[in-house]
Amino acid sequence: MIASGWTLRRTGSLVERNARIYRRSLSPVLASLLEPVLYLVSIGFGVGRLVGKVPGIDVRYAAFVAPAILATTAMNAAFNQMTFVVFTRMKTDRTYDAIVPTPLSIADIALGEVVSAVLSSLLPSVGFVLVMLALGLVVSPGILLTIPAALLVGYAFGGAGLAVTTYLRDFSDFQLIQLVMLPMFLFATTFYPLSVYPGWARPVVEILPLYQSIQLLREPALGIFHWNIAVAVLYLAAVGSFGLALATRRLSRQLLA
Amino acid sequence: MSGRLLVEARGLTKTYRARKGVPPFRAVDGIDFELGRGEVFGFLGPNGAGKSSTMRMLGAISPVSTGTLRVLGMDPAHEGPEIRSRIGVVPQDDCLDRELTVRENLFVYGRYFGLAKNVIRDRIVGLLAFAQLEEKADAQVETLSGGMRRRLTIARSLINEPEILLLDEPTTGLDPQARHVLWDRLYRLKRDGVTLIITTHYMDEAEQLCDRLAVMDAGRIVAEGSPRELIDAHVTREVLELRFQPDVHAEVAERLRAAELGERIEVLPDRVVVYADDGEVALVAVHEMSLSPITALVRRATLEDVFLKLTGRSLVD
Amino acid sequence: MRAWYAFRYWLTVYARTWRGTIVISFANPMLFLLGIGLGLGHLVDHGHSTTLGGVSYTAFFAPGLLAASAMQTGFIEGGGRVANAAGAVGAYRTAVTTPLEPSEIMAGHLLFIAFRVLTSSAVFVAVMALFGVGTGWWVLAALPAALLTGLAFGAPAAAWAVGVRSIAKTQTLYRFVLMPMYLFSGTFFALSQLPSGIRLVASALPLSQGVALCRSLTLGTASAQTVAARAGYLLALVVVGIVVARITYRRRLHA
């Protein structure tokens, strides 16, 4: 096949292009921080007053919710980048049509975009951790692990998002994405523990990539260190890699048609 | 022709797979050609003749279906990135990076080729001058006119100092003035010894720019040679164009054929074309037949006539 | 009346495009009702807080969400869709070449916004009834309250959006004004929990009035005075929106 393999240098040149655009202005980062911070204050503190302590976990409600919202922040930053932004580059801007004739392979393009997605989830995640710190929601040094964990979340949703984008037909399909992402946000134990669900529903929730992401961030953030986060790491790495491989395969067909 | 061949194609075909509701389609149907260093080679043909598919195979971004293709001595199937790093491509639609400025477009593109930042910066100075875009260097691409965009696309394709430059319909969609500015830029490249491969459906463009032409129709090369050779081989030196009331064209053509006027008579939707070595003589003969055309024009034969002769159709519909 | 023709135009368009509004108008509130109302409600009810006045969290949250969703629908229809319609290739460009006056184009569109708010609210009220939220038939009284809330955002939004040149502005306003209001107008938690200074500001927000109106009617705790005051406040916003829109529509469409 014409587009085979990737190299660090070629992939890096696409990451460099994207970085050039991100670093122009901080306002997209601030905008992507606004919504999670509002949720944290409204639900974490507002509804938190009504909740008191989370059953089975000895922390205040806001400290319980914050790492989960951090996970959704990393998820959204990477996922939106790989769906909305990449789709615009594919269909409206035709950015990749100009890159295909260069030495970059399709694998370089796909990997370069996913790496960019991971990097674009870094700043909002660090920003959110600082907000947590300012609001007194950091309860364990394990919080430091949440940053690399957020990058892994970015990788999982970046890869998955890029694969999803290769299936989109037009902008109205983003409604369908919403129809998956919103329930995941609401049901993946962001706002309450798994124990709220009846036994039969729990495995369904546990399969959600956002549930695994939340586990991966929440436990270290609350000072809980358990082997089950290894499951989350492997699961998210697999989701990201599968998405990336599928996206590369499908993009080869779409961009070289 | 100096040195070894830059491009060599033998029995090249391109077949697109069947998709939902679309049967498989053979866009390129067994073509042979070769290209030497410093040549300007053109593919002339109407839309759908297979020119762009050929260009994509040459650019190592579309797999060859059957036949052999060597570009710069390499096989596109296995050495795609290596080939692409040594050629330049000007696609039909500019697809400039709309998220970047003019200068950034050149810079980022250079980085795709792995060029060092200072090398790119040095080259950008010359390329902006070449594209006459120095004043627009920091403008967003959105603000450029069509002609400026095309010049920027050409400058962009030169960032890696390519050994071959592929230009797909370089002046399609431009106004006449912008076309002439662009041709001037392409002459300079030609003078500087850059090897160019151009596709076009404009015969004036092919005639002015190309050393050698392949006339394509329905995926095949129907004739090859220099513009002059093609005209000499396939049509008369001059052409007489006659315009009557449209509904009598067929009848007039019959009478002209019966009178054995010229070498060949063609009926087009709006005119009757008489191929004759001396157009003035033919026109006198027409008047002697007491035919009175609304307009009559004697002109030199062009590639348009070659194409009409070879395919029975016009280049531009 | 000619405004009716303009309304029928939007209905015809909607008959083709209603699927695209399902997520924002129907799925979105349902999912929040399930995820936050039931799921998080489980935790809240477990905490036995007295702040909510003895009702379950779902019963507290659902009428607030009804008002908040009405606001969203009113704003999306009155903001983005109006800005689109007023744009270079929008529906208003065709409408002005007919006998329709700008004020009639506006009235027709407002009727459509009312239709959108009313239908999506009706579906949500039906779901609330299924969940057993509300005191008997009182839940039906929340429907006109939701309509009023939606129009209190839809009419001023239309008055503003008809003059907006870039759709991105409506998205920015949504993100920086509507979204914060959504989260801090007493939908998710009781405003009485807030410190008094902030509480005063928060209760003055139009959505807080809509939430309080819908909630007090649903739960049967409304008094004639509070209903009149809140409904009057929202109605004033609708009237101001219409008066301003008459001017801005003429200014943009008969420029």
Side-chain angles (χ1 to χ4, degrees):
Chain A
M1 188 53 222
I2 281 178
S4 55
W6 58 277
T7 72
L8 193 60
R9 185 193 62 60
R10 296 197 309 243
T11 301
S13 69
L14 183 61
V15 176
E16 195 183 311
R17 172 213 178 262
N18 290 338
R20 186 173 274 274
I21 292 156
Y22 300 147
R23 74 174 183 223
R24 274 190 200 147
S25 130
L26 203 60
S27 50
V29 174
L30 293 178
S32 63
L33 259 181
L34 178 74
E35 198 171 303
V37 170
L38 291 175
Y39 267 100
L40 177 63
V41 175
S42 172
I43 295 190
F45 287 100
V47 183
R49 278 275 294 277
L50 302 171
V51 172
K53 289 243 159 75
V54 180
I57 302 166
D58 192 28
V59 291
R60 57 199 289 218
Y61 180 70
F64 170 81
V65 171
I69 298 183
L70 171 59
T72 64
T73 306
M75 165 182 88
N76 284 330
F79 192 79
N80 292 342
Q81 193 70 34
M82 284 309 91
T83 49
F84 192 78
V85 175
V86 166
F87 191 70
T88 307
R89 283 179 191 155
M90 270 176 82
K91 300 283 156 135
T92 312
D93 292 354
R94 318 267 317 256
T95 310
Y96 306 115
D97 290 359
I99 300 179
V100 163
T102 72
L104 268 65
S105 67
I106 301 297
D108 290 315
I109 294 175
L111 183 61
E113 286 294 1
V114 171
V115 169
S116 306
V118 172
L119 293 178
S120 70
S121 66
L122 180 64
L123 272 187
S125 301
V126 171
F128 193 82
V129 169
L130 293 177
V131 171
M132 284 170 66
L133 195 64
L135 294 174
L137 297 177
V138 170
V139 298
S140 158
I143 191 78
L144 291 174
L145 284 178
T146 60
I147 296 301
L151 294 181
L152 181 57
V153 172
Y155 175 68
F157 284 95
L162 191 62
V164 167
T165 300
T166 65
Y167 288 93
L168 300 179
R169 292 155 300 181
D170 53 50
F171 280 95
S172 66
D173 282 347
F174 280 90
Q175 293 255 341
L176 301 175
I177 293 184
Q178 265 283 304
L179 214 46
V180 175
M181 297 304 278
L182 181 66
M184 189 152 76
F185 168 64
L186 291 169
F187 296 119
T189 74
T190 313
F191 299 109
Y192 40 82
L194 191 64
S195 60
V196 161
Y197 290 107
W200 61 265
R202 290 179 196 173
V204 180
V205 175
E206 284 172 315
I207 282 177
L208 298 174
L210 181 58
Y211 172 81
Q212 298 295 334
S213 307
I214 290 173
Q215 285 297 101
L216 181 64
L217 273 77
R218 181 179 272 155
E219 294 200 347
L222 299 180
I224 302 164
F225 300 95
H226 194 267
W227 65 268
N228 67 3
I229 70 165
V231 175
V233 167
L234 290 176
Y235 184 79
L236 293 175
V239 167
S241 302
F242 177 73
L244 178 57
L246 180 63
T248 307
R249 204 183 133 87
R250 290 181 55 82
L251 283 176
S252 301
R253 233 178 292 151
Q254 290 170 9
L255 295 177
L256 301 178
Chain B
M1 234 184 271
S2 64
R4 62 204 175 86
L5 294 173
L6 293 189
V7 177
E8 203 177 350
R10 293 280 169 264
L12 194 61
T13 70
K14 177 73 195 180
T15 307
Y16 292 104
R17 299 183 309 156
R19 281 178 310 160
K20 237 175 288 168
V22 185
F25 171 63
R26 174 159 292 192
V28 178
D29 193 11
I31 61 175
D32 305 285
F33 62 92
E34 46 195 43
L35 179 77
R37 197 172 291 277
E39 255 194 302
V40 178
F41 187 78
F43 288 103
L44 176 71
N47 293 329
K51 307 188 301 287
S52 292
S53 294
T54 305
M55 291 293 253
R56 290 171 63 82
M57 287 191 280
L58 284 170
I61 57 171
S62 176
V64 170
S65 298
T66 61
T68 59
L69 178 65
R70 308 287 292 178
V71 180
L72 298 167
M74 292 182 281
D75 179 357
H78 299 110
E79 292 160 292
E82 290 76 13
I83 291 173
R84 294 199 295 275
S85 69
R86 288 169 57 189
I87 63 176
V89 174
V90 179
Q92 196 170 340
D93 40 2
D94 300 324
C95 48
L96 291 161
D97 201 321
R98 294 213 247 165
E99 293 176 272
L100 303 175
T101 64
V102 168
R103 188 193 305 277
E104 285 178 324
N105 258 280
L106 296 172
F107 188 86
V108 164
Y109 204 74
R111 295 294 284 166
Y112 294 150
F113 289 83
L115 300 172
K117 291 179 182 176
N118 56 342
V119 171
I120 302 175
R121 282 196 200 98
D122 289 347
R123 287 185 191 172
I124 284 177
V125 177
L127 288 173
L128 284 174
F130 169 78
Q132 298 162 303
L133 286 171
E134 288 129 313
E135 284 169 17
K136 291 281 183 183
D138 296 304
Q140 289 290 319
V141 168
E142 300 282 340
T143 65
L144 302 185
S145 71
M148 290 174 178
R149 285 182 198 202
R150 199 59 60 89
R151 298 204 300 275
L152 176 57
T153 310
I154 293 177
R156 185 181 70 174
S157 72
L158 295 169
I159 193 86
N160 58 325
E161 298 185 336
E163 292 168 63
I164 308 173
L165 189 58
L166 306 179
L167 298 122
D168 199 359
E169 306 274 352
T171 65
T172 297
L174 297 186
D175 62 54
Q177 199 193 342
R179 291 181 78 195
H180 283 287
V181 174
L182 203 76
W183 282 342
D184 169 60
R185 298 294 107 177
L186 295 178
Y187 284 132
R188 281 164 201 257
L189 291 178
K190 180 177 175 176
R191 187 194 60 198
D192 296 344
V194 181
T195 307
L196 304 177
I197 304 183
I198 296 173
T199 74
T200 183
H201 62 260
Y202 294 122
M203 44 116 192
D204 51 349
E205 187 162 284
E207 212 169 325
Q208 293 190 48
L209 287 174
C210 299
D211 301 322
R212 209 149 53 81
L213 278 171
V215 180
M216 281 191 84
D217 185 48
R220 295 172 175 277
I221 293 178
V222 291
E224 198 191 313
S226 74
R228 197 65 255 161
E229 284 166 6
L230 287 170
I231 292 169
D232 290 348
H234 297 284
V235 286
T236 52
R237 203 171 63 83
E238 286 189 341
V239 178
L240 169 63
E241 290 193 355
L242 302 169
R243 211 175 296 257
F244 297 87
Q245 294 298 338
D247 47 352
V248 302
H249 280 161
E251 182 196 329
V252 168
E254 272 319 302
R255 284 187 58 191
L256 293 175
R257 282 191 190 113
E260 293 185 344
L261 192 71
E263 279 187 17
R264 203 159 52 85
I265 311 288
E266 289 276 356
V267 183
L268 294 179
D270 62 335
R271 58 194 189 270
V272 177
V273 184
V274 180
Y275 290 95
D277 281 319
D278 191 327
E280 292 296 343
V281 170
L283 182 57
V284 170
V286 167
H287 285 301
E288 281 169 358
M289 292 169 72
S290 62
L291 286 167
S292 39
I294 301 166
T295 63
L297 170 73
V298 176
R299 60 167 174 83
R300 264 185 51 205
T302 66
L303 290 169
E304 179 83 46
D305 302 302
V306 174
F307 191 80
L308 187 63
K309 161 85 182 298
L310 291 171
T311 69
R313 288 182 299 113
S314 294
L315 267 171
V316 187
D317 318 301
Chain C
M1 191 176 153
R2 285 194 296 250
W4 189 254
Y5 301 144
F7 171 58
R8 279 207 320 223
Y9 164 80
W10 288 111
L11 271 191
T12 314
V13 171
Y14 193 59
R16 271 193 293 108
T17 59
W18 61 274
R19 282 179 198 84
T21 63
I22 287 182
V23 172
I24 191 73
S25 296
F26 301 104
N28 199 312
M30 297 310 165
L31 290 167
F32 268 87
L33 186 61
L34 282 174
I36 303 292
L38 285 187
L40 186 51
H42 195 87
L43 279 194
V44 173
D45 296 341
H46 196 266
H48 300 294
S49 169
T50 53
T51 320
L52 302 182
V55 301
S56 73
Y57 185 70
T58 310
F60 169 84
F61 179 64
L65 188 58
L66 171 67
S69 306
M71 168 190 83
Q72 280 185 310
T73 302
F75 181 79
I76 287 166
E77 293 294 336
R81 204 191 282 262
V82 166
N84 256 326
V89 290
Y92 290 172
R93 295 294 143 198
T94 314
V96 288
T97 64
T98 71
L100 286 166
E101 282 288 288
S103 61
E104 291 163 339
I105 294 173
M106 184 268 292
H109 207 153
L110 279 189
L111 275 177
F112 176 70
I113 295 171
F115 165 83
R116 286 276 292 114
V117 174
L118 198 63
T119 46
S120 12
S121 301
V123 173
F124 192 77
V125 164
V127 173
M128 277 164 66
L130 280 180
F131 274 78
V133 170
T135 316
W137 292 101
W138 272 108
V139 71
L140 284 182
L143 192 53
L147 174 62
L148 196 55
T149 309
L151 285 178
F153 286 91
W160 167 75
V162 74
V164 162
R165 306 274 162 168
S166 109
I167 308 295
K169 276 194 185 159
T170 65
Q171 286 151 4
T172 307
L173 191 72
Y174 183 82
R175 188 176 224 170
F176 290 98
V177 178
L178 275 284
M179 193 67 203
M181 219 188 299
Y182 181 76
L183 288 165
F184 292 96
S185 288
T187 303
F188 291 87
F189 57 90
L191 291 181
S192 62
Q193 294 171 230
L194 293 171
S196 61
I198 302 178
R199 186 173 63 213
L200 213 63
V201 176
S203 0
L205 295 172
L207 181 57
S208 301
Q209 298 293 321
V211 167
L213 187 62
C214 286
R215 184 174 288 144
S216 64
L217 287 170
T218 306
L219 302 178
T221 59
S223 72
Q225 285 110 322
T226 56
V227 168
R230 285 166 181 152
Y233 179 64
L234 295 171
L235 195 61
L237 282 174
V238 179
V239 172
V240 168
I242 291 175
V243 169
V244 176
R246 285 178 69 92
I247 300 166
T248 52
Y249 266 67
R250 178 162 295 279
R251 199 181 289 159
R252 177 80 193 264
L253 300 184
H254 280 190

